[in-house]
Structure formats: structure tokens, C-alpha cells
Amino acid sequence: MAAKKQSIFDPAIIVPAIGQSFVKLNPLTLVGNPIMFVTEVGAAVTTALLITGGSGDTSGFLLQITLWLWFTVLFANFAEAMAEGRGKAQADSLRKARTQTYANRVKGSGTEKVTAEELRKGDVVVVTAGEFIPGDGDIIEGAATVDESAITGESAPVIREAGGDRSAVTGGTRVLSDVVKSKSLRIPAKHFSIA
């Protein structure tokens, strides 16, 4: 399931970003960004000079400088708020697209289908071609090619087999061929969060 691509001009992102660009004018917030903080101080100084009257001959120039400095600070705050809004929207989209991973846990002489969150350290699972490995573990029986591109970024599949230094498997990777038995090394995280 592909995540819905949002437009950069999405009102659900732009409207809050406009409000946030004014909220971020707080000097305590801007002090974390020294360049924008100095620009805001400059804008405040030129505004004060403009209000107090400054020199009459340069009031037009002073007005232009003041407007440009405030525009620069507001635009930088707006751009930052847009980036934060898009990041939160993408995180929400990923959370909605998240699917449940199931495992075939060995029980007695057969297997039972359980969610990956139900697995415990030491559980043995059977993973066949086309299935996702439900959690980090070690292959204890069999050999298979595994697609680890979601974790490592490497597009070439790798061979994982029982014994030796190529027995470790990572949860969330997909078995491309054959059947393996894997022993869980740790309890899978029940929930994850994207801040």
C-alpha cells in the first residue's frame, strides 16, 4: 500500500505554518537559530528607530530595511514550520500504512499463527518464501535468500543459513526463497513512535 503523496500547497499544512511563523517570533524560540535571531534583533532595532523618528531623510530607506528584515524572519519561520508540518504528515501517513506482521510459531509438532508482538525470546518460527521475518533472530534450520533492502538499502539479496556468521536475520526483512526456522533473540517492540 503506497502512501498518499501530499501537495506542497496543502492547506492542512500551510495554514498552521502561517500561524507558527508568528509564534516562532518569540526570541526564546529563535535563539536556537542564531542567524534568524540576529536578523530579528536587527528588525526590532530598525523598527524602534523607525518609530522614534530616526533621521527624516532616511525614513524611507529605514522602512524598506525594516520590512525586508521582518519578511526574512517570517519567511524563515514559515519555511521551518512547513518542513515540520510535512514531516509530521509523512509520519502520520506511515503510521496509517503500517501493517501487522504475522509469524508461524512452532508449537508442539505443528505451528500456530501469531502476531509478531506475541513472540517471546526463544520462540522458534517458520518463515517461508514471500513472508516477512517477524523479529530479529538466528536461523537454526535451513537456508534462504533474504531481501534486506528495507534495512540496509542494498538491493542484492543475501543468503542466510543455519550456523556460522551468516545466520542472523533482522525483523522486517523478506524471505525470497526456501523455508527457514528462526529462533527469536529478543522481544519485538509492541509500539513504536515517530516524534
Coordinates of all heavy atoms in Angstrom, one line a residue, residues 31-118:
V31 N 16.4 31.9 19.5 CA 17.8 31.9 20.0 C 18.5 30.6 19.6 O 19.7 30.5 19.4 CB 17.9 32.1 21.5 CG1 17.5 30.9 22.3 CG2 19.2 32.7 21.9
G32 N 17.7 29.5 19.3 CA 18.3 28.3 18.8 C 18.8 28.4 17.4 O 19.5 27.5 16.9
N33 N 18.4 29.4 16.6 CA 18.8 29.6 15.3 C 19.5 31.0 15.3 O 18.9 32.0 15.0 CB 17.6 29.6 14.3 CG 18.0 29.7 12.9 OD1 19.1 30.1 12.6 ND2 17.0 29.5 12.0
P34 N 20.8 31.0 15.5 CA 21.5 32.3 15.7 C 21.3 33.3 14.5 O 21.2 34.5 14.8 CB 23.0 31.9 15.9 CG 23.0 30.5 16.1 CD 21.7 29.9 15.6
I35 N 21.3 32.9 13.3 CA 21.2 33.8 12.2 C 19.9 34.5 12.2 O 19.8 35.7 12.0 CB 21.5 33.0 10.8 CG1 22.9 32.5 10.8 CG2 21.2 33.9 9.7 CD1 23.2 31.6 9.7
M36 N 18.8 33.7 12.4 CA 17.5 34.3 12.4 C 17.3 35.2 13.7 O 16.6 36.2 13.6 CB 16.4 33.3 12.3 CG 16.2 32.7 10.9 SD 15.8 34.0 9.7 CE 17.3 34.2 8.8
F37 N 18.0 34.8 14.8 CA 17.9 35.6 16.0 C 18.5 37.0 15.8 O 17.9 38.0 16.1 CB 18.6 34.8 17.1 CG 18.6 35.6 18.4 CD1 17.4 35.7 19.2 CD2 19.7 36.2 18.9 CE1 17.4 36.5 20.3 CE2 19.7 36.9 20.1 CZ 18.5 37.1 20.8
V38 N 19.7 37.0 15.1 CA 20.3 38.3 14.9 C 19.5 39.1 13.9 O 19.4 40.3 14.0 CB 21.8 38.0 14.3 CG1 22.4 39.3 13.8 CG2 22.6 37.5 15.4
T39 N 18.9 38.4 12.9 CA 18.1 39.1 11.9 C 16.8 39.7 12.6 O 16.4 40.9 12.3 CB 17.6 38.2 10.8 OG1 18.8 37.6 10.2 CG2 16.8 38.9 9.7
E40 N 16.3 39.0 13.6 CA 15.1 39.5 14.3 C 15.5 40.7 15.2 O 14.8 41.7 15.3 CB 14.5 38.4 15.2 CG 13.2 38.9 15.9 CD 12.6 37.9 16.7 OE1 13.3 37.1 17.4 OE2 11.3 37.9 16.7
V41 N 16.7 40.6 15.8 CA 17.2 41.7 16.6 C 17.4 43.0 15.7 O 17.0 44.1 16.1 CB 18.5 41.4 17.4 CG1 19.1 42.6 18.0 CG2 18.2 40.3 18.4
G42 N 17.9 42.8 14.6 CA 18.1 43.9 13.6 C 16.8 44.4 13.2 O 16.6 45.7 13.1
A43 N 15.8 43.6 13.0 CA 14.4 44.1 12.6 C 13.8 44.9 13.7 O 13.2 45.9 13.5 CB 13.5 42.9 12.2
A44 N 14.0 44.4 15.0 CA 13.5 45.1 16.1 C 14.1 46.5 16.3 O 13.5 47.5 16.6 CB 13.6 44.3 17.4
V45 N 15.5 46.5 16.1 CA 16.2 47.8 16.2 C 15.7 48.8 15.2 O 15.5 50.0 15.4 CB 17.7 47.5 16.1 CG1 18.5 48.8 16.0 CG2 18.2 46.8 17.4
T46 N 15.6 48.3 13.9 CA 15.2 49.2 12.8 C 13.7 49.7 13.0 O 13.4 50.8 12.7 CB 15.4 48.6 11.4 OG1 14.6 47.4 11.4 CG2 16.8 48.4 11.1
T47 N 12.9 48.8 13.6 CA 11.5 49.2 13.9 C 11.5 50.3 15.0 O 10.8 51.2 14.9 CB 10.7 47.9 14.4 OG1 10.7 47.0 13.4 CG2 9.3 48.3 14.7
A48 N 12.3 50.1 16.0 CA 12.4 51.1 17.1 C 12.9 52.4 16.5 O 12.4 53.5 16.9 CB 13.3 50.6 18.2
L49 N 13.9 52.4 15.6 CA 14.4 53.6 15.0 C 13.3 54.3 14.2 O 13.2 55.5 14.1 CB 15.7 53.3 14.2 CG 16.9 53.0 14.9 CD1 18.0 52.6 14.0 CD2 17.4 54.2 15.8
L50 N 12.6 53.5 13.5 CA 11.5 54.0 12.6 C 10.4 54.7 13.4 O 9.9 55.7 13.1 CB 10.9 52.8 11.8 CG 10.0 53.2 10.6 CD1 10.7 54.0 9.6 CD2 9.4 52.0 10.0
I51 N 10.1 54.0 14.6 CA 9.0 54.6 15.4 C 9.5 55.8 16.1 O 8.7 56.8 16.2 CB 8.6 53.5 16.5 CG1 7.8 52.4 15.7 CG2 7.7 54.1 17.5 CD1 7.5 51.2 16.6
T52 N 10.7 55.9 16.6 CA 11.2 57.1 17.3 C 11.5 58.2 16.4 O 11.8 59.3 16.8 CB 12.5 56.7 18.1 OG1 13.5 56.2 17.3 CG2 12.1 55.7 19.2
G53 N 11.5 58.0 15.1 CA 11.6 59.1 14.2 C 12.9 59.1 13.4 O 13.0 59.6 12.3
G54 N 13.9 58.4 13.9 CA 15.2 58.3 13.2 C 15.6 59.7 12.5 O 15.2 60.7 13.0
S55 N 16.3 59.6 11.5 CA 16.6 60.8 10.7 C 15.6 60.9 9.6 O 15.3 60.0 8.9 CB 18.0 60.7 10.3 OG 18.2 60.8 8.9
G56 N 15.1 62.1 9.3 CA 14.0 62.3 8.4 C 14.3 62.0 7.0 O 13.5 61.5 6.2
D57 N 15.6 62.2 6.5 CA 16.0 61.9 5.2 C 16.0 60.4 4.9 O 15.8 60.0 3.7 CB 17.3 62.5 4.9 CG 17.3 64.0 5.0 OD1 16.2 64.6 4.9 OD2 18.4 64.6 5.1
T58 N 16.3 59.6 5.9 CA 16.4 58.2 5.6 C 15.2 57.3 6.1 O 15.3 56.1 6.1 CB 17.7 57.7 6.4 OG1 17.5 57.9 7.8 CG2 18.9 58.4 5.9
S59 N 14.1 58.0 6.4 CA 13.0 57.2 6.9 C 12.4 56.2 5.8 O 12.0 55.1 6.2 CB 11.9 58.1 7.4 OG 11.4 58.9 6.3
G60 N 12.5 56.6 4.6 CA 12.0 55.7 3.5 C 12.9 54.4 3.4 O 12.5 53.3 3.3
F61 N 14.2 54.7 3.5 CA 15.2 53.6 3.4 C 15.0 52.7 4.7 O 15.1 51.5 4.6 CB 16.6 54.2 3.3 CG 17.7 53.1 3.4 CD1 17.9 52.3 2.3 CD2 18.5 53.0 4.5 CE1 18.9 51.3 2.3 CE2 19.4 52.0 4.5 CZ 19.7 51.2 3.4
L62 N 14.9 53.3 5.8 CA 14.7 52.6 7.1 C 13.5 51.8 7.1 O 13.5 50.6 7.5 CB 14.7 53.6 8.3 CG 14.9 53.1 9.6 CD1 16.2 52.3 9.7 CD2 14.8 54.2 10.7
L63 N 12.4 52.3 6.5 CA 11.1 51.5 6.3 C 11.4 50.3 5.5 O 10.9 49.2 5.8 CB 10.0 52.4 5.8 CG 8.7 51.6 5.5 CD1 8.1 51.1 6.8 CD2 7.7 52.5 4.7
Q64 N 12.1 50.4 4.4 CA 12.4 49.3 3.5 C 13.2 48.2 4.2 O 12.9 47.0 4.1 CB 13.1 49.8 2.2 CG 12.2 50.5 1.3 CD 13.0 50.9 0.0 OE1 14.0 50.2 -0.4 NE2 12.6 52.0 -0.6
I65 N 14.2 48.7 4.9 CA 15.1 47.7 5.6 C 14.3 47.0 6.7 O 14.4 45.8 6.8 CB 16.3 48.5 6.2 CG1 17.2 49.0 5.2 CG2 17.1 47.5 7.2 CD1 17.8 48.0 4.2
T66 N 13.5 47.7 7.4 CA 12.6 47.1 8.5 C 11.7 46.0 7.9 O 11.6 44.9 8.4 CB 11.8 48.2 9.2 OG1 12.7 49.1 9.7 CG2 11.0 47.6 10.3
L67 N 11.0 46.4 6.8 CA 10.1 45.5 6.2 C 10.8 44.2 5.6 O 10.3 43.1 5.8 CB 9.3 46.1 5.0 CG 8.3 47.2 5.5 CD1 7.7 47.9 4.2 CD2 7.2 46.6 6.3
W68 N 12.0 44.4 5.0 CA 12.7 43.3 4.5 C 13.2 42.3 5.6 O 13.2 41.1 5.5 CB 13.9 43.7 3.6 CG 13.5 44.0 2.2 CD1 13.5 45.2 1.6 CD2 13.0 43.1 1.3 NE1 13.0 45.1 0.3 CE2 12.7 43.8 0.1 CE3 12.7 41.7 1.3 CZ2 12.2 43.2 -1.1 CZ3 12.2 41.1 0.1 CH2 12.0 41.8 -1.0
L69 N 13.7 43.0 6.7 CA 14.2 42.1 7.8 C 13.0 41.3 8.4 O 13.2 40.1 8.7 CB 14.9 43.0 8.9 CG 16.2 43.6 8.5 CD1 16.7 44.5 9.5 CD2 17.2 42.4 8.3
W70 N 11.9 42.0 8.7 CA 10.7 41.2 9.2 C 10.2 40.1 8.2 O 9.9 39.0 8.6 CB 9.6 42.1 9.6 CG 9.8 42.9 10.9 CD1 9.9 44.2 11.1 CD2 10.0 42.3 12.2 NE1 10.2 44.5 12.4 CE2 10.2 43.3 13.1 CE3 10.0 40.9 12.6 CZ2 10.4 43.1 14.5 CZ3 10.2 40.7 14.0 CH2 10.4 41.7 14.9
F71 N 10.2 40.5 6.9 CA 9.8 39.5 5.9 C 10.8 38.3 6.0 O 10.4 37.1 5.9 CB 9.8 40.1 4.5 CG 9.6 39.1 3.5 CD1 8.3 38.6 3.2 CD2 10.6 38.6 2.7 CE1 8.1 37.6 2.3 CE2 10.4 37.7 1.7 CZ 9.1 37.2 1.5
T72 N 12.1 38.5 6.1 CA 13.1 37.5 6.1 C 12.9 36.5 7.3 O 12.9 35.3 7.2 CB 14.5 38.0 6.2 OG1 14.7 38.9 5.0 CG2 15.6 37.0 6.2
V73 N 12.6 37.1 8.5 CA 12.4 36.3 9.7 C 11.1 35.5 9.6 O 11.1 34.3 9.9 CB 12.4 37.2 10.9 CG1 12.0 36.4 12.2 CG2 13.8 37.9 11.2
L74 N 10.1 36.2 9.1 CA 8.8 35.5 9.0 C 8.9 34.4 7.9 O 8.3 33.3 8.1 CB 7.7 36.4 8.7 CG 7.2 37.3 9.8 CD1 6.2 38.4 9.3 CD2 6.5 36.4 10.8
F75 N 9.5 34.6 6.8 CA 9.6 33.6 5.8 C 10.5 32.4 6.3 O 10.1 31.3 6.0 CB 10.2 34.2 4.5 CG 10.3 33.2 3.4 CD1 9.1 32.9 2.7 CD2 11.4 32.5 3.0 CE1 9.1 32.0 1.7 CE2 11.4 31.6 2.0 CZ 10.3 31.3 1.3
A76 N 11.5 32.7 7.0 CA 12.4 31.6 7.5 C 11.5 30.7 8.5 O 11.6 29.5 8.5 CB 13.6 32.1 8.2
N77 N 10.8 31.4 9.4 CA 9.9 30.7 10.3 C 8.8 29.9 9.6 O 8.5 28.8 9.9 CB 9.2 31.7 11.3 CG 10.2 32.2 12.3 OD1 11.3 31.8 12.4 ND2 9.8 33.3 13.0
F78 N 8.3 30.5 8.5 CA 7.3 29.8 7.7 C 7.8 28.5 7.0 O 7.2 27.5 7.1 CB 6.7 30.7 6.7 CG 5.7 30.1 5.7 CD1 4.4 29.7 6.1 CD2 6.1 29.8 4.4 CE1 3.6 29.1 5.3 CE2 5.2 29.2 3.5 CZ 3.9 28.9 3.9
A79 N 9.0 28.7 6.5 CA 9.7 27.5 5.8 C 10.0 26.4 6.8 O 9.8 25.2 6.5 CB 11.0 28.0 5.1
E80 N 10.4 26.8 8.0 CA 10.7 25.8 9.0 C 9.4 25.1 9.5 O 9.4 23.9 9.6 CB 11.4 26.4 10.2 CG 11.8 25.5 11.3 CD 12.4 26.2 12.5 OE1 12.7 27.4 12.5 OE2 12.8 25.5 13.5
A81 N 8.3 25.9 9.7 CA 7.1 25.3 10.1 C 6.5 24.4 9.0 O 5.9 23.4 9.3 CB 6.1 26.4 10.4
M82 N 6.7 24.8 7.7 CA 6.2 23.9 6.6 C 7.0 22.6 6.6 O 6.4 21.5 6.4 CB 6.5 24.6 5.3 CG 5.5 25.7 4.9 SD 3.9 25.0 4.4 CE 4.3 24.3 2.8
A83 N 8.3 22.6 6.8 CA 9.1 21.4 6.9 C 8.6 20.5 8.0 O 8.5 19.3 7.9 CB 10.6 21.7 7.0
E84 N 8.4 21.1 9.2 CA 7.9 20.3 10.3 C 6.5 19.7 10.0 O 6.2 18.6 10.4 CB 7.8 21.2 11.6 CG 9.2 21.6 12.1 CD 9.1 22.7 13.2 OE1 7.9 23.1 13.5 OE2 10.1 23.0 13.8
G85 N 5.6 20.5 9.4 CA 4.3 20.0 9.1 C 4.3 18.9 8.1 O 3.6 17.9 8.3
R86 N 5.2 19.0 7.1 CA 5.3 17.9 6.1 C 5.8 16.7 6.7 O 5.4 15.6 6.5 CB 6.1 18.4 4.9 CG 5.4 19.3 4.0 CD 6.1 19.7 2.8 NE 6.6 18.6 2.0 CZ 5.8 17.9 1.1 NH1 4.5 18.2 0.9 NH2 6.3 16.9 0.4
G87 N 6.8 16.8 7.6 CA 7.4 15.7 8.3 C 6.4 15.0 9.2 O 6.3 13.8 9.2
K88 N 5.6 15.8 9.9 CA 4.5 15.2 10.7 C 3.5 14.5 9.9 O 3.0 13.4 10.2 CB 3.9 16.2 11.6 CG 4.8 16.7 12.7 CD 4.1 17.8 13.6 CE 5.1 18.3 14.6 NZ 4.6 19.4 15.4
A89 N 3.1 15.1 8.7 CA 2.1 14.4 7.9 C 2.7 13.1 7.3 O 1.9 12.2 7.2 CB 1.8 15.4 6.7
Q90 N 3.9 13.1 6.9 CA 4.5 11.9 6.4 C 4.6 10.8 7.5 O 4.4 9.6 7.2 CB 5.9 12.1 5.8 CG 5.9 12.9 4.5 CD 7.2 13.3 4.0 OE1 8.2 13.3 4.8 NE2 7.3 13.7 2.7
A91 N 4.9 11.2 8.7 CA 5.0 10.2 9.8 C 3.6 9.7 10.1 O 3.4 8.5 10.3 CB 5.5 10.9 11.1
D92 N 2.5 10.5 10.0 CA 1.2 10.1 10.2 C 0.8 9.1 9.1 O 0.1 8.1 9.3 CB 0.2 11.2 10.2 CG 0.3 12.0 11.5 OD1 0.8 11.5 12.5 OD2 -0.2 13.2 11.5
S93 N 1.2 9.4 7.9 CA 0.9 8.5 6.7 C 1.6 7.2 6.9 O 0.9 6.1 6.6 CB 1.4 9.2 5.5 OG 1.2 8.3 4.4
L94 N 2.8 7.2 7.4 CA 3.5 5.9 7.6 C 2.8 5.1 8.7 O 2.7 3.9 8.6 CB 4.9 6.1 8.0 CG 5.9 6.5 6.9 CD1 7.2 6.9 7.4 CD2 6.0 5.3 5.9
R95 N 2.4 5.8 9.8 CA 1.7 5.1 10.9 C 0.4 4.4 10.3 O 0.1 3.3 10.7 CB 1.3 6.0 12.0 CG 2.4 6.2 13.0 CD 1.9 7.0 14.2 NE 3.0 7.8 14.7 CZ 3.2 9.1 14.5 NH1 2.3 9.8 13.8 NH2 4.3 9.7 15.0
K96 N -0.3 5.1 9.5 CA -1.6 4.6 8.9 C -1.3 3.4 8.0 O -2.2 2.5 7.9 CB -2.4 5.7 8.2 CG -3.0 6.7 9.2 CD -3.6 7.8 8.4 CE -4.1 8.9 9.4 NZ -4.6 10.1 8.6
A97 N -0.2 3.4 7.3 CA 0.1 2.4 6.3 C 0.7 1.2 6.9 O 0.9 0.1 6.3 CB 1.1 2.9 5.2
R98 N 1.1 1.2 8.2 CA 1.7 0.1 8.9 C 0.8 -1.1 8.9 O -0.4 -1.0 9.2 CB 2.0 0.6 10.3 CG 2.8 -0.5 11.1 CD 3.1 0.1 12.5 NE 3.5 -1.0 13.3 CZ 3.3 -1.1 14.6 NH1 2.8 0.0 15.2 NH2 3.7 -2.1 15.3
T99 N 1.4 -2.2 8.6 CA 0.6 -3.4 8.6 C 1.1 -4.4 9.7 O 2.2 -4.3 10.1 CB 0.7 -4.2 7.2 OG1 2.1 -4.5 7.0 CG2 0.1 -3.3 6.1
Q100 N 0.2 -5.3 10.0 CA 0.6 -6.3 11.1 C 1.4 -7.4 10.5 O 1.1 -7.9 9.4 CB -0.7 -6.8 11.7 CG -0.5 -7.8 12.8 CD 0.1 -7.1 14.0 OE1 1.3 -7.2 14.2 NE2 -0.7 -6.4 14.8
T101 N 2.5 -7.8 11.1 CA 3.3 -8.9 10.7 C 2.9 -10.1 11.5 O 2.8 -10.0 12.7 CB 4.8 -8.6 10.9 OG1 5.1 -7.4 10.1 CG2 5.7 -9.7 10.4
Y102 N 2.7 -11.2 10.8 CA 2.3 -12.5 11.5 C 3.5 -13.5 11.4 O 4.3 -13.4 10.5 CB 1.1 -13.1 10.8 CG -0.1 -12.3 11.1 CD1 -0.6 -11.3 10.2 CD2 -0.9 -12.4 12.3 CE1 -1.7 -10.6 10.5 CE2 -2.0 -11.7 12.6 CZ -2.4 -10.7 11.7 OH -3.5 -10.0 11.9
A103 N 3.5 -14.4 12.4 CA 4.6 -15.4 12.4 C 3.9 -16.8 12.6 O 2.9 -16.9 13.2 CB 5.5 -15.1 13.6
N104 N 4.6 -17.8 12.0 CA 4.2 -19.1 12.2 C 5.1 -19.7 13.3 O 6.2 -20.2 13.1 CB 4.3 -19.9 10.9 CG 3.5 -19.4 9.8 OD1 2.3 -19.1 10.1 ND2 4.0 -19.2 8.7
R105 N 4.6 -19.6 14.6 CA 5.4 -20.1 15.7 C 5.2 -21.6 15.9 O 4.1 -22.1 15.8 CB 4.9 -19.4 17.0 CG 5.6 -19.8 18.2 CD 5.3 -18.9 19.4 NE 3.9 -18.8 19.7 CZ 3.4 -18.0 20.6 NH1 4.2 -17.1 21.3 NH2 2.1 -17.9 20.8
V106 N 6.4 -22.3 16.1 CA 6.4 -23.7 16.2 C 5.8 -24.0 17.6 O 6.2 -23.5 18.6 CB 7.8 -24.3 16.1 CG1 7.8 -25.8 16.4 CG2 8.4 -24.0 14.7
K107 N 4.8 -24.9 17.6 CA 4.1 -25.3 18.9 C 3.9 -26.8 18.8 O 3.1 -27.3 18.0 CB 2.8 -24.6 19.1 CG 2.2 -24.9 20.4 CD 1.0 -24.0 20.6 CE 0.4 -24.3 22.0 NZ -0.7 -23.4 22.3
G108 N 4.6 -27.5 19.6 CA 4.5 -29.0 19.5 C 5.0 -29.5 18.2 O 6.1 -29.2 17.8
S109 N 4.1 -30.3 17.5 CA 4.5 -30.9 16.3 C 4.0 -30.0 15.1 O 4.3 -30.4 13.9 CB 4.0 -32.3 16.1 OG 2.6 -32.3 16.2
G110 N 3.3 -28.9 15.4 CA 2.8 -28.1 14.3 C 3.2 -26.6 14.5 O 4.2 -26.3 15.2
T111 N 2.4 -25.7 13.9 CA 2.7 -24.3 14.0 C 1.4 -23.6 14.3 O 0.3 -24.1 14.0 CB 3.3 -23.7 12.7 OG1 2.4 -23.8 11.7 CG2 4.6 -24.3 12.4
E112 N 1.5 -22.4 14.9 CA 0.3 -21.6 15.2 C 0.6 -20.2 14.6 O 1.8 -19.7 14.7 CB 0.0 -21.5 16.6 CG 1.0 -20.9 17.5 CD 0.6 -20.8 19.0 OE1 -0.6 -20.8 19.3 OE2 1.5 -20.6 19.8
K113 N -0.4 -19.5 14.1 CA -0.2 -18.2 13.5 C -0.4 -17.2 14.6 O -1.5 -17.1 15.2 CB -1.2 -17.9 12.4 CG -0.9 -16.7 11.6 CD -1.7 -16.6 10.3 CE -1.1 -15.6 9.4 NZ -1.4 -15.8 8.0
V114 N 0.6 -16.3 14.9 CA 0.5 -15.3 16.0 C 1.1 -14.0 15.4 O 1.8 -14.0 14.4 CB 1.3 -15.7 17.2 CG1 0.8 -17.0 17.9 CG2 2.8 -15.9 16.9
T115 N 0.7 -12.9 16.0 CA 1.3 -11.6 15.6 C 2.7 -11.5 16.1 O 3.1 -12.2 17.0 CB 0.5 -10.4 16.2 OG1 0.6 -10.5 17.6 CG2 -0.9 -10.5 15.8
A116 N 3.5 -10.7 15.4 CA 4.9 -10.6 15.8 C 5.1 -10.1 17.2 O 6.1 -10.5 17.9 CB 5.7 -9.7 14.8
E117 N 4.2 -9.3 17.7 CA 4.2 -8.8 19.0 C 4.1 -9.9 20.1 O 4.5 -9.7 21.2 CB 3.2 -7.7 19.3 CG 3.5 -6.4 18.6 CD 3.1 -6.4 17.1 OE1 2.3 -7.3 16.7 OE2 3.5 -5.5 16.4
E118 N 3.5 -11.0 19.7 CA 3.2 -12.1 20.7 C 4.5 -12.9 20.9 O 4.5 -13.8 21.8 CB 2.1 -12.9 20.3 CG 0.7 -12.2 20.3 CD -0.4 -13.1 19.8 OE1 -0.6 -14.2 20.4 OE2 -1.1 -12.7 18.8

